[in-house]
């Protein structure tokens, strides 16, 4: 709409400019939101194991490869141990050495909580109250010898085994599985394990 110049008095110009800027801001904001919605593809939910036997899952798991969290970025001899507590929660002991096999052992003790109606495959891990981290058992083999644990955000992942070594073909197969779930496997790091 064209406004006659006679109406654009000095007292009306600033108010008119503010309204034009506000309208332009709204249009630009809406355009950005629409573009963001269209350009962000939706990913399917992360795969999770159909049914996990908690008792069989307990015990030691060696970390074979990982897209690491900050503390794990240079981990050696990483081992995750799970034990069921009387209250139903999972006591977790994560041990590793930072930077080499001869470095001092470091320990973390998060507590796992199995979420109901998830086939026991989706947990939360609490490292520090009140913060809880997503923990999803994406794959477990029928013999409970290999496992892949990830997060819905696809930022961290752990490929673990009951033994400190894993055949190269198995690691490659699990790496392809992780990649198919939408992870950037170029970030995957093999964890050095001291021969036992």
């Amino acid at each position: 709409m064209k406004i006659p110049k006679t109406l654009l008095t000095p007292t009306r110009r600033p108010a008119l400019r503010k309204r034009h800027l506000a309208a332009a801001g709204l249009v630009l904001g809406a355009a950005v939101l629409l573009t963001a919605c269209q350009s962000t593809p939706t990913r399917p939910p992360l795969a999770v194991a159909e049914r996990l036997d908690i008792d069989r899952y307990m015990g030691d798991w060696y970390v074979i490869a990982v897209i690491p969290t900050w503390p794990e970025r240079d981990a050696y001899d990483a081992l995750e141990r799970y034990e069921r507590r009387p209250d139903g929660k999972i006591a977790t002991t994560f041990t590793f050495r930072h930077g080499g096999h001869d470095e001092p052992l470091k320990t973390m003790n998060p507590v796992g909580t199995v979420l109901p109606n998830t086939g026991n495959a989706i947990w939360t891990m609490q490292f520090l109250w009140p913060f809880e981290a997503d923990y999803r058992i994406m794959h477990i083999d029928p013999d409970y010898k290999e496992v892949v644990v990830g997060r819905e955000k696809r930022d961290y992942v752990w490929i673990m085994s009951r033994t400190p070594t894993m055949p190269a073909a198995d690691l490659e197969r699990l790496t392809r599985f992780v990649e198919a779930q939408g992870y950037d496997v170029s970030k995957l790091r093999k964890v050095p394990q001291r021969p036992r």
Side-chain angles (χ1 to χ4, degrees):
M1 171 176 138
K2 193 167 182 180
I3 300 173
K5 288 184 180 179
T6 55
L7 294 178
L8 295 176
T9 63
T11 56
R12 291 184 182 174
R13 280 189 184 151
L16 189 60
R17 271 197 205 117
K18 284 182 184 175
R19 278 186 279 174
H20 282 156
L21 287 174
L26 286 172
V27 169
L28 183 61
V32 168
L33 283 173
L34 285 172
T35 303
C37 290
Q38 290 173 352
S39 64
T40 306
T42 56
R43 292 186 289 195
L46 201 65
V48 291
E50 283 187 25
R51 180 80 188 155
L52 183 83
D53 183 328
I54 292 287
D55 293 321
R56 288 185 72 191
Y57 190 71
M58 298 297 98
D60 291 350
W61 290 96
Y62 295 88
V63 182
I64 304 300
V66 63
I67 296 178
T69 61
W70 184 80
E72 301 171 89
R73 68 197 183 286
D74 198 20
Y76 280 63
D77 304 325
L79 177 73
E80 190 105 327
R81 176 174 293 132
Y82 303 103
E83 295 176 78
R84 194 174 240 195
R85 297 191 337 186
D87 64 1
K89 293 185 182 288
I90 310 298
T92 307
T93 305
F94 177 60
T95 56
F96 65 99
R97 299 176 192 280
H98 184 75
H101 294 297
D102 298 321
E103 295 301 317
L105 200 64
K106 296 181 179 290
T107 304
M108 298 169 77
N109 296 104
V111 175
T113 300
V114 180
L115 299 184
N117 305 313
T118 64
N120 299 326
I122 300 177
W123 305 5
T124 60
M125 276 289 180
Q126 188 169 75
F127 288 83
L128 180 66
W129 186 87
F131 306 105
E132 294 182 325
D134 184 31
Y135 176 103
R136 294 172 186 255
I137 299 160
M138 299 162 55
H139 160 80
I140 184 91
D141 72 301
D143 296 323
Y144 283 63
K145 291 183 179 177
E146 64 183 34
V147 68
V148 179
V149 175
R151 290 172 21 111
E152 188 67 38
K153 289 173 70 174
R154 291 157 171 94
D155 47 1
Y156 309 123
V157 74
W158 297 264
I159 296 174
M160 299 188 287
S161 172
R162 291 294 193 183
T163 58
T165 58
M166 177 181 279
D170 291 343
L171 180 55
E172 177 63 22
R173 172 176 48 81
L174 294 176
T175 298
R176 297 287 72 87
F177 168 77
V178 167
E179 184 176 43
Q181 294 303 308
Y183 277 90
D184 178 0
V185 293
S186 69
K187 297 177 180 178
L188 201 62
R189 172 186 177 267
K190 192 167 180 191
V191 176
Q193 292 283 355
R194 189 194 298 270
R196 289 173 172 84

